[in-house]
């Protein structure tokens, strides 16, 4: 486990490396981010953005998406994989937001988790990016980096990673920190290999220090 002092240093190093922190999913309204993050499961954000461009062109409002059939939605979202289940969730999600929340994406964690296809990762993304609340989005990049840096040890459980990071991250930095983990995880701390010699965290990261010491 890293200390709060360690964590602040890590946060600052990532901020210097990635001054602009933003979600890589393309959206203009809260419900569109909700749709995009559901489609992103087992799919790249780049592909999701291609698919949602067509989806949002055909269904430009939450009301129009709710009025579509799961089959019509599936015909568009199929390239994201798991088309049938994702389409079913989007249909159910759109109708629940329309009919139970007055057409407004809810803010409370318990309400977001009621929506079809929404787990803690999706709910935290919505709470952080839409409502500006402290939120830890424990996606694959965040989980991988949390293990390598030393926030957790040998766990892929997103809830464990979320809880560990909540304990040490400054609340106001938590959402941006997770976006920077995605950016860093795609180009430096990759799933295939940690490029420690290129990493801005190499002097403080558990894996980086071991790798450089071995060389």
């Amino acid at each position: 486990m890293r200390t709060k002092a360690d964590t602040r240093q890590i946060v600052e190093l990532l901020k210097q490396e990635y001054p602009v922190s933003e979600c890589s999913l393309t959206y203009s309204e809260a419900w569109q981010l909700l749709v995009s993050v559901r489609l992103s499961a087992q799919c790249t954000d780049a592909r999701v953005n291609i698919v949602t461009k067509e989806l949002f062109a055909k269904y430009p409002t939450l009301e129009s998406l709710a009025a579509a059939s799961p089959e019509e939605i599936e015909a568009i979202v199929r390239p994201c994989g798991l088309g049938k289940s994702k389409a079913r969730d989007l249909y159910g999600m759109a109708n629940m937001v329309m009919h139970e929340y007055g057409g407004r994406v809810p803010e409370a964690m318990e309400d977001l988790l009621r929506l079809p296809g929404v787990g803690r990762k999706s709910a935290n993304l919505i709470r952080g990016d839409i409502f500006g609340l402290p939120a830890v989005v424990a996606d694959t990049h965040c989980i991988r980096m949390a293990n390598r840096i030393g926030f957790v040890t040998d766990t892929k459980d997103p809830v464990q990673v979320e809880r560990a990071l909540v304990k040490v991250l400054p609340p106001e930095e938590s959402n941006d920190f997770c976006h920077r983990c995605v950016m860093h995880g795609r180009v430096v701390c990759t799933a295939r290999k940690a490029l420690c010699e290129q990493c801005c965290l190499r002097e403080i990261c558990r894996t980086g220090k071991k790798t450089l010491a071995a060389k």
Side-chain angles (χ1 to χ4, degrees):
M1 172 60 70
R2 307 311 297 251
T3 66
K4 288 187 177 182
D6 286 343
T7 306
R8 285 192 177 275
Q9 185 178 353
I10 291 165
V11 166
E12 289 306 313
L13 288 168
L14 285 173
K15 286 173 77 171
Q16 291 173 26
E17 192 75 6
Y18 308 99
V20 178
S21 170
E22 59 187 6
C23 181
S24 56
L25 293 168
T26 302
Y27 68 96
S28 58
E29 298 183 48
W31 70 269
Q32 292 180 342
L33 180 57
L34 200 58
V35 167
S36 294
V37 74
R38 175 63 187 103
L39 292 176
S40 70
Q42 299 182 44
C43 183
T44 66
D45 288 357
R47 181 174 293 278
V48 170
N49 288 337
I50 293 171
V51 170
T52 54
K53 184 176 182 180
E54 179 183 353
L55 184 69
F56 298 153
K58 185 168 184 179
Y59 305 110
T61 65
L62 181 64
E63 186 175 15
S64 63
L65 183 65
S69 69
E71 293 74 21
E72 290 172 323
I73 297 171
E74 183 186 355
I76 298 175
V77 305
R78 192 176 294 117
C80 291
L82 305 174
K84 192 173 293 295
S85 62
K86 289 181 178 181
R88 183 177 61 245
D89 286 344
L90 295 186
Y91 172 81
M93 176 196 301
N95 277 276
M96 184 176 287
V97 172
M98 283 297 302
H99 301 132
E100 296 190 31
Y101 295 101
R104 296 178 62 85
V105 173
E107 176 179 330
M109 174 66 77
E110 58 268 27
D111 291 326
L112 286 165
L113 293 177
R114 291 187 63 234
L115 301 177
V118 176
R120 290 192 66 84
K121 182 188 81 170
S122 302
N124 275 315
L125 184 62
I126 293 295
R127 284 167 59 80
D129 278 32
I130 299 300
F131 297 107
L133 298 170
V136 171
V137 181
D139 70 349
T140 55
H141 297 290
C142 184
I143 292 170
R144 181 171 67 253
M145 285 183 58
N147 277 274
R148 288 177 177 171
I149 292 171
F151 289 110
V152 294
T153 301
D154 296 328
T155 180
K156 293 184 178 180
D157 185 337
V159 176
Q160 288 185 26
V161 172
E162 179 187 339
R163 287 174 178 169
L165 288 173
V166 164
K167 289 179 181 178
V168 292
L169 276 172
E172 70 278 8
E173 297 285 359
S174 58
N175 195 51
D176 286 342
F177 171 82
C178 294
H179 285 321
R180 290 187 173 100
C181 282
V182 173
M183 299 163 76
H184 195 64
R186 284 176 176 161
V187 297
V188 178
C189 196
T190 68
R192 187 176 66 84
K193 183 181 180 181
L195 305 177
C196 297
E197 292 182 350
Q198 302 175 25
C199 182
C200 62
L201 305 177
R202 59 186 177 274
E203 300 296 339
I204 193 171
C205 172
R206 179 173 62 188
T207 301
K209 288 193 290 187
K210 286 181 180 179
T211 302
L212 296 178
K215 292 184 176 181

